[in-house]
Coordinates of all heavy atoms in Angstrom, one line a residue:
M158 N -3.5 -29.7 -10.0 CA -4.2 -29.3 -11.3 C -5.1 -28.2 -10.9 O -5.7 -28.1 -9.9 CB -5.0 -30.6 -11.9 CG -5.7 -30.1 -13.2 SD -6.7 -31.5 -13.8 CE -5.4 -32.5 -14.4
R159 N -5.0 -27.2 -11.8 CA -6.0 -26.0 -11.7 C -7.4 -26.4 -11.8 O -7.8 -27.3 -12.4 CB -5.7 -25.0 -12.8 CG -4.3 -24.3 -12.7 CD -4.0 -23.4 -14.0 NE -5.2 -22.6 -14.2 CZ -5.2 -21.2 -14.1 NH1 -4.1 -20.6 -13.6 NH2 -6.2 -20.5 -14.3
L160 N -8.2 -25.7 -11.0 CA -9.7 -25.9 -11.0 C -10.3 -25.8 -12.4 O -11.0 -26.7 -12.8 CB -10.4 -24.9 -10.1 CG -11.9 -24.9 -10.0 CD1 -12.4 -26.3 -9.5 CD2 -12.4 -23.8 -9.1
D161 N -10.0 -24.8 -13.2 CA -10.6 -24.7 -14.5 C -10.2 -25.8 -15.4 O -11.0 -26.4 -16.1 CB -10.3 -23.4 -15.1 CG -8.9 -23.0 -15.2 OD1 -8.0 -23.7 -14.6 OD2 -8.6 -21.9 -15.9
K162 N -9.1 -26.2 -15.4 CA -8.5 -27.4 -16.1 C -9.2 -28.7 -15.7 O -9.7 -29.5 -16.6 CB -7.0 -27.5 -16.1 CG -6.5 -28.6 -17.0 CD -5.0 -28.6 -17.0 CE -4.5 -29.7 -18.0 NZ -3.0 -29.8 -18.0
Y163 N -9.3 -28.9 -14.4 CA -10.0 -30.1 -13.8 C -11.4 -30.1 -14.3 O -11.9 -31.3 -14.7 CB -9.9 -30.1 -12.4 CG -10.6 -31.3 -11.8 CD1 -9.9 -32.5 -11.6 CD2 -11.9 -31.3 -11.3 CE1 -10.6 -33.6 -11.2 CE2 -12.6 -32.3 -10.9 CZ -12.0 -33.6 -10.8 OH -12.5 -34.7 -10.3
L164 N -12.2 -29.0 -14.3 CA -13.6 -29.0 -14.6 C -13.8 -29.4 -16.1 O -14.7 -30.1 -16.5 CB -14.2 -27.7 -14.3 CG -14.4 -27.4 -12.8 CD1 -14.7 -25.9 -12.6 CD2 -15.4 -28.3 -12.2
K165 N -12.8 -29.0 -17.0 CA -12.9 -29.3 -18.4 C -12.5 -30.6 -18.6 O -13.3 -31.5 -19.3 CB -11.9 -28.3 -19.2 CG -12.0 -28.6 -20.7 CD -10.6 -28.5 -21.3 CE -10.7 -28.7 -22.7 NZ -10.4 -30.1 -23.1
L166 N -11.5 -31.2 -18.1 CA -11.0 -32.6 -18.3 C -11.9 -33.6 -17.6 O -12.2 -34.7 -18.3 CB -9.6 -32.8 -17.7 CG -8.5 -32.1 -18.4 CD1 -7.2 -32.4 -17.7 CD2 -8.4 -32.5 -19.8
S167 N -12.6 -33.3 -16.6 CA -13.6 -34.1 -16.0 C -15.0 -34.1 -16.8 O -15.9 -34.8 -16.5 CB -13.9 -33.9 -14.5 OG -14.4 -32.6 -14.3
R168 N -15.1 -33.1 -17.6 CA -16.3 -32.8 -18.4 C -17.5 -32.4 -17.6 O -18.6 -32.6 -18.0 CB -16.6 -34.1 -19.2 CG -15.5 -34.3 -20.3 CD -15.8 -35.6 -21.1 NE -14.6 -35.9 -21.9 CZ -14.6 -35.7 -23.2 NH1 -15.6 -35.2 -23.9 NH2 -13.6 -36.1 -23.9
L169 N -17.2 -31.7 -16.4 CA -18.3 -31.2 -15.6 C -18.7 -29.9 -16.3 O -19.8 -29.5 -16.1 CB -17.8 -30.9 -14.1 CG -17.5 -32.2 -13.4 CD1 -16.9 -31.8 -12.0 CD2 -18.9 -32.9 -13.0
I170 N -17.7 -29.2 -16.9 CA -18.0 -28.0 -17.7 C -17.3 -28.2 -19.1 O -16.2 -28.7 -19.1 CB -17.5 -26.7 -17.0 CG1 -18.3 -26.5 -15.8 CG2 -17.6 -25.5 -17.9 CD1 -18.0 -25.3 -15.0
K171 N -17.9 -27.8 -20.1 CA -17.5 -28.1 -21.5 C -16.2 -27.5 -21.8 O -15.4 -28.2 -22.5 CB -18.7 -27.7 -22.5 CG -18.5 -28.3 -23.9 CD -19.6 -28.0 -24.7 CE -19.5 -28.6 -26.0 NZ -20.7 -28.4 -26.9
R172 N -16.0 -26.2 -21.6 CA -14.8 -25.5 -22.1 C -14.1 -24.9 -20.8 O -14.7 -24.4 -19.9 CB -15.1 -24.6 -23.1 CG -15.5 -25.1 -24.4 CD -15.8 -24.1 -25.5 NE -16.7 -23.1 -25.2 CZ -18.0 -23.2 -25.3 NH1 -18.5 -24.3 -25.9 NH2 -18.9 -22.2 -25.1
R173 N -12.8 -24.8 -20.9 CA -12.0 -24.2 -19.9 C -12.4 -22.8 -19.6 O -12.4 -22.3 -18.5 CB -10.5 -24.4 -20.2 CG -9.6 -24.0 -19.0 CD -8.2 -24.4 -19.3 NE -7.4 -24.1 -18.2 CZ -6.1 -24.4 -18.1 NH1 -5.6 -25.2 -19.1 NH2 -5.3 -24.0 -17.1
T174 N -12.6 -22.0 -20.7 CA -13.0 -20.6 -20.5 C -14.3 -20.5 -19.8 O -14.5 -19.6 -19.1 CB -13.0 -19.9 -21.9 OG1 -13.8 -20.6 -22.8 CG2 -11.6 -19.7 -22.5
V175 N -15.2 -21.3 -20.0 CA -16.5 -21.3 -19.4 C -16.3 -21.6 -17.9 O -16.9 -21.0 -17.0 CB -17.5 -22.3 -20.0 CG1 -18.9 -22.4 -19.3 CG2 -17.8 -21.9 -21.5
A176 N -15.4 -22.6 -17.6 CA -15.1 -22.9 -16.2 C -14.5 -21.8 -15.5 O -14.8 -21.5 -14.4 CB -14.1 -24.2 -16.2
K177 N -13.6 -21.0 -16.2 CA -12.9 -19.9 -15.6 C -13.9 -18.8 -15.3 O -14.0 -18.2 -14.3 CB -11.8 -19.4 -16.6 CG -11.1 -18.1 -16.1 CD -10.2 -17.6 -17.2 CE -9.6 -16.3 -16.7 NZ -8.8 -15.7 -17.7
D178 N -14.8 -18.5 -16.3 CA -15.9 -17.5 -16.1 C -16.8 -17.8 -14.9 O -17.1 -17.0 -14.2 CB -16.7 -17.3 -17.4 CG -15.9 -16.6 -18.5 OD1 -14.8 -16.1 -18.2 OD2 -16.2 -16.7 -19.7
A179 N -17.2 -19.1 -14.9 CA -18.1 -19.5 -13.8 C -17.4 -19.4 -12.5 O -18.1 -18.9 -11.4 CB -18.6 -21.0 -13.9
S180 N -16.1 -19.7 -12.4 CA -15.4 -19.5 -11.1 C -15.3 -18.0 -10.7 O -15.5 -17.7 -9.5 CB -14.0 -20.2 -11.2 OG -13.3 -20.0 -10.0
L181 N -15.0 -17.2 -11.7 CA -14.9 -15.7 -11.5 C -16.3 -15.2 -11.0 O -16.3 -14.2 -10.3 CB -14.4 -15.0 -12.6 CG -12.9 -15.3 -13.0 CD1 -12.5 -14.7 -14.3 CD2 -11.9 -14.8 -11.9
D182 N -17.4 -15.9 -11.5 CA -18.7 -15.3 -11.1 C -19.2 -16.0 -9.8 O -20.3 -15.9 -9.5 CB -19.7 -15.7 -12.3 CG -19.5 -14.9 -13.5 OD1 -18.9 -13.8 -13.4 OD2 -20.0 -15.3 -14.6
E183 N -18.2 -16.6 -9.1 CA -18.5 -17.2 -7.8 C -19.6 -18.3 -7.9 O -20.4 -18.3 -7.0 CB -18.9 -16.1 -6.8 CG -17.7 -15.1 -6.7 CD -18.0 -14.0 -5.6 OE1 -19.2 -13.9 -5.2 OE2 -17.1 -13.2 -5.3
K184 N -19.6 -19.1 -8.9 CA -20.5 -20.2 -9.0 C -19.9 -21.5 -8.7 O -20.6 -22.6 -8.8 CB -21.1 -20.2 -10.4 CG -21.9 -18.9 -10.8 CD -22.6 -19.0 -12.0 CE -23.2 -17.7 -12.3 NZ -24.3 -17.7 -13.2
I185 N -18.7 -21.5 -8.3 CA -18.0 -22.7 -8.0 C -17.3 -22.7 -6.6 O -16.6 -21.7 -6.3 CB -16.9 -23.1 -9.1 CG1 -17.6 -23.2 -10.4 CG2 -16.2 -24.4 -8.7 CD1 -16.7 -23.5 -11.5
L186 N -17.7 -23.7 -5.8 CA -17.1 -23.7 -4.5 C -16.2 -25.0 -4.3 O -16.5 -26.0 -4.9 CB -18.2 -23.8 -3.4 CG -19.3 -22.8 -3.4 CD1 -20.4 -23.2 -2.4 CD2 -18.7 -21.5 -3.0
V187 N -15.1 -24.8 -3.6 CA -14.2 -25.9 -3.3 C -14.1 -26.1 -1.8 O -13.7 -25.1 -1.2 CB -12.8 -25.8 -3.9 CG1 -11.9 -27.0 -3.6 CG2 -12.9 -25.7 -5.5
N188 N -14.5 -27.2 -1.3 CA -14.6 -27.4 0.2 C -15.3 -26.3 0.9 O -14.9 -25.8 2.0 CB -13.1 -27.5 0.7 CG -12.4 -28.7 0.1 OD1 -13.0 -29.7 -0.1 ND2 -11.1 -28.6 -0.1
G189 N -16.4 -25.8 0.3 CA -17.3 -24.9 0.9 C -16.8 -23.5 0.8 O -17.5 -22.6 1.3
K190 N -15.8 -23.1 0.1 CA -15.3 -21.8 -0.2 C -15.3 -21.4 -1.6 O -15.0 -22.2 -2.5 CB -13.9 -21.6 0.4 CG -13.8 -21.9 1.9 CD -12.4 -21.7 2.3 CE -12.3 -22.1 3.9 NZ -10.9 -22.1 4.3
I191 N -15.7 -20.1 -2.0 CA -15.5 -19.7 -3.4 C -14.2 -19.9 -3.9 O -13.2 -19.5 -3.1 CB -15.9 -18.3 -3.4 CG1 -17.5 -18.1 -3.0 CG2 -15.8 -17.6 -4.8 CD1 -18.0 -16.7 -2.8
A192 N -14.0 -20.5 -5.1 CA -12.7 -20.8 -5.5 C -12.4 -20.0 -6.9 O -13.2 -19.9 -7.7 CB -12.6 -22.3 -5.8
K193 N -11.2 -19.6 -7.0 CA -10.7 -18.9 -8.2 C -10.3 -20.0 -9.2 O -10.1 -21.1 -8.9 CB -9.5 -18.1 -7.8 CG -9.8 -16.9 -7.0 CD -8.6 -16.0 -6.8 CE -8.9 -14.8 -5.9 NZ -7.7 -14.0 -5.7
P194 N -10.2 -19.7 -10.5 CA -9.8 -20.7 -11.5 C -8.4 -21.3 -11.3 O -8.3 -22.4 -11.7 CB -9.8 -19.9 -12.8 CG -10.5 -18.6 -12.5 CD -10.5 -18.4 -11.0
S195 N -7.6 -20.6 -10.6 CA -6.2 -21.1 -10.4 C -6.1 -22.0 -9.1 O -5.0 -22.5 -8.8 CB -5.2 -19.9 -10.3 OG -5.6 -19.1 -9.2
K196 N -7.1 -22.2 -8.4 CA -7.1 -23.0 -7.2 C -6.6 -24.4 -7.5 O -7.1 -25.1 -8.5 CB -8.6 -23.1 -6.6 CG -8.8 -24.2 -5.5 CD -8.3 -23.6 -4.2 CE -8.7 -24.6 -3.2 NZ -7.7 -24.8 -2.1
E197 N -5.7 -24.9 -6.8 CA -5.1 -26.3 -7.0 C -6.0 -27.3 -6.4 O -6.5 -27.2 -5.3 CB -3.7 -26.4 -6.4 CG -2.7 -25.7 -7.1 CD -2.5 -26.3 -8.5 OE1 -2.4 -27.5 -8.6 OE2 -2.3 -25.6 -9.5
I198 N -6.4 -28.3 -7.2 CA -7.4 -29.3 -6.9 C -6.6 -30.5 -6.6 O -5.6 -30.9 -7.2 CB -8.4 -29.6 -7.9 CG1 -9.2 -28.3 -8.4 CG2 -9.3 -30.7 -7.7 CD1 -10.0 -27.9 -7.2
K199 N -7.1 -31.2 -5.5 CA -6.3 -32.5 -5.1 C -7.4 -33.6 -4.8 O -8.6 -33.2 -4.6 CB -5.4 -32.3 -3.9 CG -6.1 -31.8 -2.7 CD -4.9 -31.3 -1.7 CE -5.5 -30.9 -0.4 NZ -6.4 -29.7 -0.5
E200 N -7.0 -34.8 -4.8 CA -8.0 -35.9 -4.4 C -8.5 -35.7 -3.1 O -7.8 -35.2 -2.1 CB -7.2 -37.2 -4.5 CG -6.8 -37.6 -6.0 CD -6.1 -38.9 -6.0 OE1 -6.2 -39.8 -5.0 OE2 -5.4 -39.2 -7.1
G201 N -9.9 -35.8 -3.0 CA -10.6 -35.7 -1.7 C -11.3 -34.5 -1.6 O -12.2 -34.2 -0.7
D202 N -11.0 -33.4 -2.5 CA -11.7 -32.1 -2.5 C -13.2 -32.3 -2.9 O -13.5 -33.2 -3.7 CB -11.0 -31.2 -3.4 CG -9.8 -30.5 -3.0 OD1 -9.5 -30.7 -1.7 OD2 -8.9 -29.9 -3.7
I203 N -14.0 -31.5 -2.3 CA -15.4 -31.4 -2.7 C -15.7 -30.2 -3.5 O -15.4 -29.1 -3.0 CB -16.3 -31.4 -1.3 CG1 -16.0 -32.6 -0.5 CG2 -17.8 -31.4 -1.8 CD1 -16.3 -33.9 -1.0
I204 N -16.3 -30.4 -4.7 CA -16.5 -29.3 -5.6 C -18.0 -29.2 -5.8 O -18.7 -30.1 -6.1 CB -15.9 -29.5 -6.9 CG1 -14.3 -29.6 -6.8 CG2 -16.2 -28.5 -7.9 CD1 -13.5 -30.0 -8.1
E205 N -18.5 -27.9 -5.7 CA -19.9 -27.6 -5.9 C -20.0 -26.7 -7.1 O -19.3 -25.7 -7.1 CB -20.6 -26.9 -4.7 CG -20.8 -27.8 -3.5 CD -21.5 -27.1 -2.4 OE1 -22.5 -26.5 -2.7 OE2 -21.0 -27.1 -1.3
V206 N -20.7 -27.1 -8.2 CA -20.8 -26.3 -9.3 C -22.3 -25.8 -9.4 O -23.2 -26.7 -9.5 CB -20.5 -27.1 -10.6 CG1 -20.7 -26.3 -11.8 CG2 -19.1 -27.6 -10.6
N207 N -22.6 -24.6 -9.4 CA -23.9 -24.0 -9.5 C -24.3 -23.7 -10.9 O -23.8 -22.7 -11.4 CB -24.0 -22.8 -8.5 CG -23.9 -23.1 -7.1 OD1 -24.5 -24.0 -6.6 ND2 -22.9 -22.5 -6.5
Y208 N -25.0 -24.6 -11.6 CA -25.5 -24.3 -12.8 C -26.8 -23.4 -12.6 O -27.2 -23.2 -11.6 CB -25.9 -25.7 -13.6 CG -24.7 -26.6 -13.7 CD1 -24.5 -27.7 -12.9 CD2 -23.7 -26.4 -14.7 CE1 -23.5 -28.6 -13.1 CE2 -22.7 -27.2 -14.9 CZ -22.5 -28.3 -14.1 OH -21.4 -29.2 -14.3
Y209 N -27.4 -23.2 -13.8 CA -28.6 -22.3 -13.8 C -29.7 -22.9 -12.9 O -30.3 -22.1 -12.0 CB -29.1 -22.1 -15.2 CG -30.4 -21.2 -15.3 CD1 -30.4 -19.9 -14.9 CD2 -31.6 -21.8 -15.7 CE1 -31.6 -19.2 -15.0 CE2 -32.7 -21.1 -15.8 CZ -32.8 -19.8 -15.4 OH -33.8 -19.0 -15.5
K210 N -30.2 -24.1 -13.1 CA -31.2 -24.8 -12.4 C -30.8 -25.8 -11.4 O -31.7 -26.5 -10.7 CB -32.3 -25.2 -13.3 CG -33.0 -24.1 -14.0 CD -34.2 -24.7 -14.9 CE -34.9 -23.6 -15.6 NZ -36.0 -24.2 -16.4
T211 N -29.5 -26.2 -11.3 CA -29.1 -27.4 -10.6 C -27.7 -26.9 -9.9 O -26.9 -26.2 -10.5 CB -28.8 -28.5 -11.6 OG1 -30.0 -28.7 -12.4 CG2 -28.5 -29.7 -10.9
T212 N -27.6 -27.6 -8.8 CA -26.2 -27.5 -8.1 C -25.8 -29.0 -8.0 O -26.4 -29.8 -7.5 CB -26.3 -27.0 -6.7 OG1 -26.8 -25.6 -6.8 CG2 -25.0 -26.9 -5.9
L213 N -24.5 -29.2 -8.5 CA -23.9 -30.6 -8.6 C -22.7 -30.5 -7.5 O -21.9 -29.7 -7.6 CB -23.4 -30.8 -10.0 CG -22.7 -32.2 -10.1 CD1 -23.7 -33.3 -9.9 CD2 -22.1 -32.3 -11.5
K214 N -22.7 -31.4 -6.6 CA -21.7 -31.6 -5.7 C -21.0 -32.9 -5.9 O -21.7 -33.9 -5.8 CB -22.3 -31.6 -4.2 CG -21.4 -31.4 -3.1 CD -22.2 -31.3 -1.8 CE -21.4 -30.8 -0.7 NZ -22.2 -30.7 0.6
V215 N -19.6 -32.9 -6.1 CA -18.9 -34.0 -6.4 C -17.7 -34.0 -5.6 O -17.1 -33.1 -5.0 CB -18.4 -34.0 -7.9 CG1 -19.6 -34.1 -8.9 CG2 -17.5 -32.9 -8.3
K216 N -17.1 -35.2 -5.4 CA -15.8 -35.5 -4.6 C -14.8 -36.0 -5.7 O -15.0 -36.8 -6.5 CB -16.1 -36.6 -3.6 CG -14.7 -36.9 -2.9 CD -14.9 -38.0 -1.9 CE -13.8 -38.2 -1.0 NZ -13.9 -39.3 -0.1
V217 N -13.6 -35.3 -5.7 CA -12.5 -35.6 -6.6 C -11.9 -36.9 -6.1 O -11.5 -37.1 -5.0 CB -11.4 -34.5 -6.5 CG1 -10.2 -34.8 -7.5 CG2 -12.0 -33.1 -6.9
T218 N -12.0 -37.9 -7.1 CA -11.4 -39.2 -6.8 C -10.1 -39.5 -7.4 O -9.3 -40.2 -6.9 CB -12.4 -40.3 -7.1 OG1 -12.7 -40.1 -8.6 CG2 -13.6 -40.3 -6.3
K219 N -9.8 -38.8 -8.6 CA -8.6 -39.0 -9.3 C -8.3 -37.7 -10.0 O -9.1 -37.0 -10.5 CB -8.7 -40.1 -10.4 CG -8.4 -41.4 -9.9 CD -8.4 -42.3 -11.1 CE -8.0 -43.8 -10.7 NZ -8.1 -44.7 -11.8
I220 N -6.9 -37.4 -10.2 CA -6.5 -36.4 -11.0 C -5.7 -37.1 -12.3 O -4.7 -37.7 -12.1 CB -5.5 -35.5 -10.3 CG1 -6.0 -34.9 -9.0 CG2 -4.9 -34.4 -11.3 CD1 -7.0 -33.9 -9.1
I221 N -6.4 -36.9 -13.4 CA -5.9 -37.5 -14.7 C -5.6 -36.5 -15.6 O -6.5 -35.6 -16.0 CB -6.9 -38.5 -15.2 CG1 -7.2 -39.6 -14.2 CG2 -6.3 -39.2 -16.5 CD1 -8.3 -40.6 -14.6
N222 N -4.4 -36.3 -16.2 CA -4.1 -35.3 -17.2 C -4.4 -35.7 -18.6 O -3.8 -35.3 -19.6 CB -2.6 -35.0 -17.1 CG -2.3 -34.2 -15.8 OD1 -3.0 -33.3 -15.5 ND2 -1.2 -34.5 -15.1
S223 N -5.4 -36.5 -18.8 CA -5.8 -37.0 -20.1 C -7.2 -36.4 -20.3 O -8.1 -36.1 -19.5 CB -5.9 -38.5 -20.0 OG -6.6 -39.0 -21.2
S224 N -7.5 -36.2 -21.7 CA -8.8 -35.7 -22.0 C -9.6 -36.8 -22.7 O -10.6 -36.5 -23.4 CB -8.6 -34.5 -23.0 OG -7.9 -35.0 -24.2
K225 N -9.4 -38.0 -22.4 CA -10.2 -39.1 -23.0 C -11.5 -39.1 -22.2 O -11.6 -39.0 -21.0 CB -9.5 -40.4 -22.7 CG -8.2 -40.6 -23.5 CD -7.5 -41.9 -23.2 CE -6.2 -42.1 -23.9 NZ -5.5 -43.3 -23.5
K226 N -12.6 -39.4 -23.0 CA -13.9 -39.5 -22.5 C -14.1 -40.5 -21.4 O -14.8 -40.3 -20.4 CB -15.0 -39.7 -23.6 CG -16.3 -39.6 -23.3 CD -17.2 -39.7 -24.4 CE -18.7 -39.6 -24.1 NZ -19.6 -39.7 -25.2
E227 N -13.4 -41.6 -21.6 CA -13.5 -42.8 -20.7 C -12.9 -42.4 -19.3 O -13.4 -43.0 -18.2 CB -12.8 -44.0 -21.2 CG -13.3 -44.5 -22.6 CD -12.6 -43.7 -23.7 OE1 -11.5 -43.3 -23.7 OE2 -13.5 -43.5 -24.7
D228 N -11.9 -41.6 -19.3 CA -11.3 -41.2 -18.1 C -12.0 -40.3 -17.2 O -11.9 -40.1 -16.0 CB -9.8 -40.6 -18.3 CG -8.9 -41.6 -18.9 OD1 -9.1 -42.8 -18.7 OD2 -7.9 -41.2 -19.5
A229 N -12.9 -39.4 -17.9 CA -13.6 -38.4 -17.2 C -14.5 -38.9 -16.1 O -14.5 -38.3 -15.0 CB -14.6 -37.6 -18.2
N230 N -15.2 -40.0 -16.3 CA -16.1 -40.6 -15.2 C -15.3 -41.1 -14.0 O -15.9 -41.2 -12.9 CB -16.9 -41.8 -15.8 CG -17.9 -41.2 -16.8 OD1 -18.3 -40.1 -16.7 ND2 -18.3 -42.1 -17.7
E231 N -14.0 -41.4 -14.1 CA -13.2 -41.8 -13.0 C -12.7 -40.7 -12.1 O -12.2 -41.0 -11.1 CB -12.1 -42.7 -13.5 CG -12.4 -43.9 -14.3 CD -11.2 -44.6 -14.9 OE1 -10.0 -44.4 -14.4 OE2 -11.3 -45.4 -15.8
M232 N -12.8 -39.5 -12.6 CA -12.2 -38.4 -11.9 C -13.0 -37.9 -10.7 O -12.4 -37.1 -9.9 CB -12.0 -37.3 -12.9 CG -10.9 -37.6 -14.0 SD -10.6 -36.3 -15.1 CE -9.7 -35.1 -14.1
Y233 N -14.3 -38.2 -10.7 CA -15.2 -37.7 -9.6 C -16.3 -38.7 -9.2 O -16.6 -39.6 -10.0 CB -15.8 -36.3 -9.9 CG -16.7 -36.3 -11.2 CD1 -18.0 -36.6 -11.0 CD2 -16.2 -36.3 -12.4 CE1 -18.9 -36.6 -12.1 CE2 -17.0 -36.2 -13.5 CZ -18.4 -36.4 -13.4 OH -19.2 -36.5 -14.4
E234 N -16.8 -38.5 -8.1 CA -18.0 -39.3 -7.5 C -19.0 -38.2 -7.3 O -18.8 -37.3 -6.4 CB -17.5 -40.0 -6.4 CG -18.6 -40.7 -5.6 CD -18.1 -41.3 -4.3 OE1 -16.9 -41.7 -4.2 OE2 -18.8 -41.3 -3.3
V235 N -20.2 -38.4 -7.8 CA -21.4 -37.5 -7.5 C -21.8 -37.8 -6.1 O -22.1 -38.9 -5.7 CB -22.5 -37.7 -8.4 CG1 -23.7 -36.7 -8.1 CG2 -22.0 -37.3 -10.0
I236 N -21.9 -36.7 -5.3 CA -22.4 -36.8 -3.9 C -23.8 -36.4 -3.8 O -24.6 -37.0 -3.2 CB -21.5 -35.9 -3.0 CG1 -20.1 -36.3 -2.9 CG2 -22.1 -35.8 -1.6 CD1 -19.1 -35.4 -2.2
E237 N -24.2 -35.3 -4.5 CA -25.5 -34.7 -4.4 C -25.9 -33.9 -5.6 O -25.0 -33.2 -6.2 CB -25.6 -33.8 -3.1 CG -26.9 -33.3 -2.8 CD -26.9 -32.5 -1.5 OE1 -25.9 -32.1 -1.0 OE2 -28.0 -32.3 -1.0
V238 N -27.2 -34.0 -6.1 CA -27.6 -33.1 -7.1 C -28.8 -32.4 -6.7 O -29.8 -33.1 -6.2 CB -28.1 -33.9 -8.4 CG1 -28.6 -33.1 -9.5 CG2 -26.8 -34.7 -9.0
I239 N -28.8 -31.1 -6.7 CA -29.9 -30.3 -6.2 C -30.6 -29.6 -7.2 O -29.9 -28.8 -7.9 CB -29.4 -29.3 -5.1 CG1 -28.7 -30.0 -3.8 CG2 -30.6 -28.5 -4.5 CD1 -27.9 -29.1 -3.0
E240 N -31.9 -29.8 -7.4 CA -32.6 -29.1 -8.4 C -33.2 -27.8 -7.8 O -33.9 -27.9 -6.7 CB -33.8 -30.0 -9.0 CG -33.3 -31.3 -9.7 CD -32.6 -31.0 -10.9 OE1 -32.9 -29.9 -11.6 OE2 -31.7 -31.8 -11.4
H241 N -33.1 -26.7 -8.5 CA -33.6 -25.4 -8.0 C -35.0 -25.1 -8.7 O -35.1 -25.3 -9.9 CB -32.6 -24.3 -8.2 CG -31.4 -24.5 -7.5 ND1 -31.2 -24.4 -6.1 CD2 -30.2 -24.8 -8.0 CE1 -29.9 -24.6 -5.9 NE2 -29.3 -24.8 -7.1
V242 N -36.0 -24.8 -8.0 CA -37.3 -24.3 -8.6 C -37.2 -22.8 -8.9 O -37.0 -22.0 -8.0 CB -38.4 -24.7 -7.6 CG1 -39.7 -24.3 -8.3 CG2 -38.4 -26.2 -7.3
I243 N -37.4 -22.5 -10.1 CA -37.4 -21.2 -10.4 C -38.7 -20.6 -11.0 O -39.4 -21.3 -11.7 CB -36.3 -20.9 -11.6 CG1 -35.0 -21.2 -10.9 CG2 -36.3 -19.4 -12.0 CD1 -33.8 -21.0 -11.9

């Protein structure tokens, strides 16, 4: 599954276009490397999303092609949340 689609379906980012833009702005890392929106995500990958004041690090646990809210929580496991002081 593409990175931008995964971020939307897992509800880590609200819209796919926002996920694409964040990836193009180099705010998303997969396994420690800057990732393009088309990067294929698989189970076990570590994704870091750099929001404005927070960095969220998650491990991909499932790839589900459903957009149900209940399924979103099963798609990842939070590893670390880092708050940035601005």
Side-chain angles (χ1 to χ4, degrees):
M158 177 180 293
R159 289 174 53 106
L160 173 62
D161 55 351
K162 184 174 180 180
Y163 178 83
L164 292 170
K165 183 216 180 269
L166 290 177
S167 65
R168 298 176 187 253
L169 291 170
I170 294 182
K171 191 172 183 176
R172 291 186 300 277
R173 190 169 176 175
T174 55
V175 175
K177 178 183 174 188
D178 292 342
S180 183
L181 291 173
D182 289 341
E183 301 181 351
K184 296 182 183 208
I185 300 177
L186 305 174
V187 176
N188 298 326
K190 297 179 183 174
I191 295 170
K193 293 183 179 181
S195 61
K196 168 82 172 143
E197 283 296 315
I198 299 300
K199 58 189 182 302
E200 291 181 15
D202 283 345
I203 305 296
I204 299 174
E205 288 182 53
V206 180
N207 294 307
Y208 299 105
Y209 177 65
K210 293 184 179 182
T211 308
T212 298
L213 178 64
K214 191 175 195 178
V215 299
K216 180 179 181 180
V217 177
T218 55
K219 272 188 179 179
I220 304 289
I221 302 173
N222 287 318
S223 166
S224 60
K225 294 179 185 172
K226 187 176 182 179
E227 302 81 39
D228 294 340
N230 292 335
E231 298 175 19
M232 294 180 71
Y233 63 90
E234 169 188 328
V235 176
I236 297 173
E237 186 176 17
V238 177
I239 302 167
E240 297 290 332
H241 302 287
V242 179
I243 297 178

